[in-house]
Amino acid sequence: MKHLVLVPAALFALAACSNSDAPEVEAEPAPVAAPSPMSAQNTSAAEDGSVVISVDRVVDETQFGNCLLMIAVSNGLEETVSAGLFTFEVSGGGESTGASMFPQTTEPGETKLAQVILSGQSCDVAQVIEGGQPQCSVNPGSQDATSCLDVLVFEDNAVDFSVND
């Protein structure tokens, strides 16, 4: 019964403390880079028998001091795939940082996005992805899983790849 008395008292205190004359303040949304013109490329990748990894967009989270790389995996095979890129370097603007993109399981003809956080970095560093250990498997998690590294393509889009140079 004590709790029932506290609820109206709390609501009364909130109403008394509110200032209806105060201007409303709207929070500024974090700047987001526009998606790159990838949809047409994804359609062709989904039909040509390859698995494509590309950076879909770069998001500068200035409020948190991070850069987000939204990396797409497009599956153009007739089977489910899992593809990723471990221990790569992202460089640009005279700086570099390490990152990893965990494998994304992607159904045939679909695209999945992975979010890679470059902690404490501005997106000036996100110009080139170098090195790394690619991973690609068909029918991941099953006994008949096979490698698809032979059809894995890194497509330059919002960020350039020098992985297969």
Side-chain angles (χ1 to χ4, degrees), residues 31 33 57-62 65-69 89-97 118-130 158-160:
R57 65 186 174 274
V58 178
V59 181
D60 204 351
E61 284 193 324
T62 53
N66 298 324
C67 179
L68 300 179
L69 297 180
E89 288 289 316
V90 180
S91 61
E95 296 184 36
S96 69
T97 189
L118 304 178
S119 184
Q121 297 288 326
S122 77
C123 287
D124 293 341
V125 74
Q127 295 176 13
V128 178
I129 292 178
E130 301 173 288
V159 174
D160 292 335

Side-chain angles (χ1 to χ4, degrees), residues 7-19:
V7 171
L11 291 174
F12 177 74
L14 282 173
C17 291
S18 70
N19 183 355

Side-chain angles (χ1 to χ4, degrees), residues 26 43 65-66 122 146 152 156:
E26 291 185 27
T43 303
N66 298 324
S122 77
T146 58
L152 184 62
D156 292 343

Side-chain angles (χ1 to χ4, degrees), residues 77-144:
L77 303 180
E78 293 180 6
E79 299 89 9
T80 300
V81 300
S82 176
L85 182 64
F86 294 104
T87 63
F88 57 89
E89 288 289 316
V90 180
S91 61
E95 296 184 36
S96 69
T97 189
S100 286
M101 182 193 97
F102 291 97
Q104 301 298 302
T105 301
T106 310
E107 299 297 321
E110 293 188 4
T111 298
K112 275 263 182 89
L113 284 178
Q115 177 176 294
V116 176
I117 301 171
L118 304 178
S119 184
Q121 297 288 326
S122 77
C123 287
D124 293 341
V125 74
Q127 295 176 13
V128 178
I129 292 178
E130 301 173 288
Q133 300 170 352
Q135 184 277 330
C136 188
S137 61
V138 177
N139 298 319
S142 69
Q143 288 184 337
D144 62 339

Side-chain angles (χ1 to χ4, degrees), residues 1-28:
M1 201 60 159
K2 292 180 196 176
H3 299 292
L4 291 177
V5 173
L6 293 177
V7 171
L11 291 174
F12 177 74
L14 282 173
C17 291
S18 70
N19 183 355
S20 61
D21 296 332
E24 288 188 31
V25 177
E26 291 185 27
E28 287 188 37

